[in-house]
Each structure stands twice: as C-alpha cells, then as structure tokens.
Amino acid sequence: MNQTIRYIAIGAVVAALAAAAWVWQQDDSVCTAGGVPATCVPEQIILYGNVDVRQVNLGFKVSGRVDQLQVEEGDRVMPGQKLATLEKPDFVDDVALAQARFDASAAALNQLENGARPQEIAQAEALVEERRATVQNARRTVKRRAELAEEGFTAHQAHEDAEAALLEAEARLQSAIETLNLVKAGPRDEEIERARAAHGADAAALSLAQRRLADTDLFAPNEGTILTRVREPGAIIQAGEPILNLSLKSPVWVRTYVEEPQLGFVTPGMKATVQTDSGGTFEGQVGFISPVAEFTPKTVETRELRTRLVYRVRVIVDSDDDGLRQGMPVTVVLVPKGAVAGAAAD
C-alpha cells in the first residue's frame, strides 16, 4: 500500500514538471536553441486579411457629349485600350483656329527677323533721290523768282511761295532719308521680342487645343475589369465626371494586420504565402508596414477577440491567375528569419 502511494506521488511530481516544461516552451519571450535560452522566434506568423478593393473611376479631362462606349460591364481591358470617345467636331474646329493663328504669328515673326527685302530698300532709295531732285528744283525756283522780284517782274509773294515750297521739299527729303535708314536698320529688337512672344502664346494655344482633342478619347490606365457603365452615349458630361468604373487586376495587394508583439518579426521584403479558403496558394512579399498603430478593425479576424494594437501590413502578390478577387478573405503565412525549429507558432 505504501509503495502504491509512493508511485502515485512520484507520478504527480513528474506530471507537474512536464506541465511546467510545456508552459515554459510556450512562452513568447524565451525558447531553447541548442540547450541555451534565447529569444523566441516563431516558426510561422499567421495573419488574416482581405484582398484590397482597388478601383478607378474613369472620366474625360474635357467636357462634351459622349459619342461611343466601346466596353460593357464585365469586360476585361488591357492598358492603353480605348474605352470611350466624345464627339469631336468642336475640338477639331478649335485646333483649326489655333493652327491658323499660329501660322499668322509665325509669318509675322519671320518677316521681322528677316528684315527688309532688297526691293524695299531700293524703293526707299529711289524715293530719296526723287525728293532730292525736288529740293534742287525748288532751290532753282526760289533763286529765279528772287531775281525777278528784285527787277520788278514778279510779286514778292511769288518769291515767298517758292521759299515755302523749298522748305517743304527739304522736309520731305529728310523724311525719305530717315525712312531709308529705318528700312536698312530693320525692326527694333523689342518688336521682334513682342512678335516672338505672341508666336509662343499661339503655339501654346495650339498645343492645348491638340491635347483637348486627344483627350476626347478615354484609354484604360491599367489591366482590369469594367465594373460599371455610369453614363451612356449621348449624355453630356463635365470634365472629370466618372463614366466607367474599373477594377484593377494588378498589382494584387492583400491588406492584413500584425499585432504589436509580432511586429519585430515582420520586415519589408520578407516572403509571404497567401492562402484562400478554397485551397488556392499564392506567393508574395511584404511591401509596406504602417508606422502608425491602430486598434483592431472589426473586419479583421483574429484568434483572440480582444482589443489590441495592430499595424497595417500590405502584402504584394507576385502573380495571380484570377484566383484572388477583390475583397476576398485570405490567410497570410509569414516565416520570420531565424525561426527556431519547434517553436510555437503565434
């Protein structure tokens, strides 16, 4: 009887020691590596999250009337694919008007930069010679009438009229000479700069009109699926008003949250395995860890339903065969660097 009691006591002691050892092994802060206590690095970190819902509202940069929509809801589109167009006549006319103004200012600028033509210089020189001859003739007339007035053969008024005509002829000659000098000197630098600035403004207006015409075509910015046709052909829309809703296919992002005690084991770039409830497995990597702590969102599923600080983590999936849908709940498995074999997974 005493021997039986002794065996029971020994068994109880052994069980207690085993339980204590098990609890010690489950401690998050201490593990045994090679018989030496060390910081516990879990073999795996299991997180729960959802595939990010990433959508783009597509619209035109200009206002107008919708002409065509080339896609239907549910269509898969590729980057650069034309999705919709606006009516173009008004935009084509704007380009034609801007082109005409551009050509006119270009011609005016070229005229100033090239200066006067040889024919224009020759014309100005001929005018100077003509008026110089007029001056010489006026001088002879003044001299002749002065002699006649002294001899009494003509009135002094005629002599005075001849002198006035001479002064006028000399002034017209000086004007012609100045005009010739201006023609030879060419336009002022300020005039050329003003014409160049006007031409630059017309060039900018033409470029803007051409861009507005190009903006009447709407292209897909990324690969994805058309979720909604917000407007239909014939509708008059404003600039930026959504007409299509596009669900982006790539890159695929998974939003999950890591608890503060596990934060030190998660680093950007570490490999991640994304698992779906239907058995799909996808490889990826941690792309972003939020620097700001927040409380556990209600949509996050954790094994401990209590309020704890968590940090948002973005996992970028390397490839996808349409097995991941936006908003789908997934499980993310991370393997920290330096994990101790046999350590408990958190």
Side-chain angles (χ1 to χ4, degrees):
M1 183 68 177
N2 293 334
Q3 186 175 4
T4 301
I5 295 175
R6 186 179 301 111
Y7 289 151
I8 293 175
I10 293 174
V13 172
V14 171
L17 292 175
W22 183 86
V23 171
W24 181 78
Q25 289 178 355
Q26 299 305 312
D27 189 348
D28 287 340
S29 60
V30 178
C31 290
T32 300
V36 179
T39 301
C40 179
V41 180
E43 291 183 6
Q44 292 182 340
I45 297 177
I46 300 177
L47 307 176
Y48 302 92
N50 298 81
V51 178
D52 257 346
V53 178
R54 302 177 59 234
Q55 300 177 5
V56 179
N57 292 326
L58 301 179
F60 292 97
K61 294 173 63 177
V62 294
S63 58
R65 186 189 299 274
V66 179
D67 184 25
Q68 295 180 354
L69 288 175
Q70 283 89 352
V71 292
E72 299 288 343
E73 293 180 355
D75 287 351
R76 174 63 60 87
V77 298
M78 302 302 294
Q81 179 179 339
K82 184 184 291 188
L83 306 179
T85 58
L86 293 179
E87 293 181 353
K88 300 181 182 294
D90 292 345
F91 298 93
V92 173
D93 291 343
D94 288 342
V95 171
L97 178 60
Q99 183 68 58
R101 292 174 175 171
F102 173 82
D103 293 340
S105 62
L109 177 60
N110 289 334
Q111 180 181 5
L112 292 176
E113 290 179 338
N114 293 332
R117 293 175 296 178
Q119 295 86 344
E120 294 173 335
I121 296 177
Q123 183 181 24
E125 290 176 343
L127 181 62
V128 170
E129 294 301 323
E130 175 189 346
R131 293 184 177 178
R132 181 174 287 118
T134 301
V135 168
Q136 292 175 355
N137 183 55
R139 287 173 179 170
R140 287 193 295 268
T141 300
V142 168
K143 181 179 179 181
R144 184 168 56 253
R145 290 187 177 181
E147 293 174 352
L148 292 175
E150 290 177 358
E151 295 175 358
F153 293 104
T154 184
H156 288 283
Q157 182 65 39
H159 175 241
E160 293 175 355
D161 291 342
E163 289 181 338
L166 174 61
L167 292 176
E168 181 181 357
E170 289 175 344
R172 291 170 64 84
L173 172 61
Q174 187 62 35
S175 175
I177 292 174
E178 296 297 336
T179 300
L180 175 61
N181 292 335
L182 288 176
V183 170
K184 290 182 177 180
R188 298 174 58 181
D189 293 339
E190 293 82 358
E191 293 177 343
I192 296 177
E193 290 301 323
R194 182 168 59 251
R196 185 175 291 116
H199 181 58
D202 291 335
L206 175 59
S207 178
L208 177 61
Q210 291 172 338
R211 285 201 308 272
R212 287 173 58 83
L213 176 60
D215 288 337
T216 58
D217 293 325
L218 179 62
F219 299 92
N222 205 337
E223 181 180 0
T225 302
I226 300 297
L227 294 182
T228 310
R229 281 175 46 144
V230 182
R231 306 302 294 270
E232 295 296 328
I236 298 178
I237 62 171
Q238 299 299 319
E241 181 178 346
I243 65 168
L244 294 170
N245 185 266
L246 176 66
S247 173
L248 300 180
K249 180 181 184 298
S250 62
V252 177
W253 293 350
V254 173
R255 178 191 296 265
T256 185
Y257 295 84
V258 60
E259 296 177 353
E260 191 276 334
Q262 300 172 327
L263 185 61
F265 304 124
V266 181
T267 58
M270 70 183 302
K271 298 298 181 182
T273 301
V274 178
Q275 301 172 349
T276 64
D277 294 342
S278 59
T281 301
F282 305 89
E283 298 301 323
Q285 60 182 353
V286 175
F288 167 79
I289 302 174
S290 174
V292 180
E294 53 190 286
F295 288 102
T296 307
K298 294 181 179 180
T299 57
V300 175
E301 301 177 16
T302 60
R303 283 184 283 177
E304 296 180 356
L305 299 179
R306 64 177 182 269
T307 302
R308 302 179 66 176
L309 288 178
V310 294
Y311 292 80
R312 180 166 54 89
V313 175
R314 175 186 298 158
V315 176
I316 303 175
V317 179
D318 296 333
S319 62
D320 178 28
D321 57 357
D322 292 336
L324 294 178
R325 304 283 180 165
Q326 292 193 8
M328 175 184 292
V330 294
T331 301
V332 178
V333 179
L334 305 176
V335 178
K337 183 178 180 181
V340 176
D346 194 357

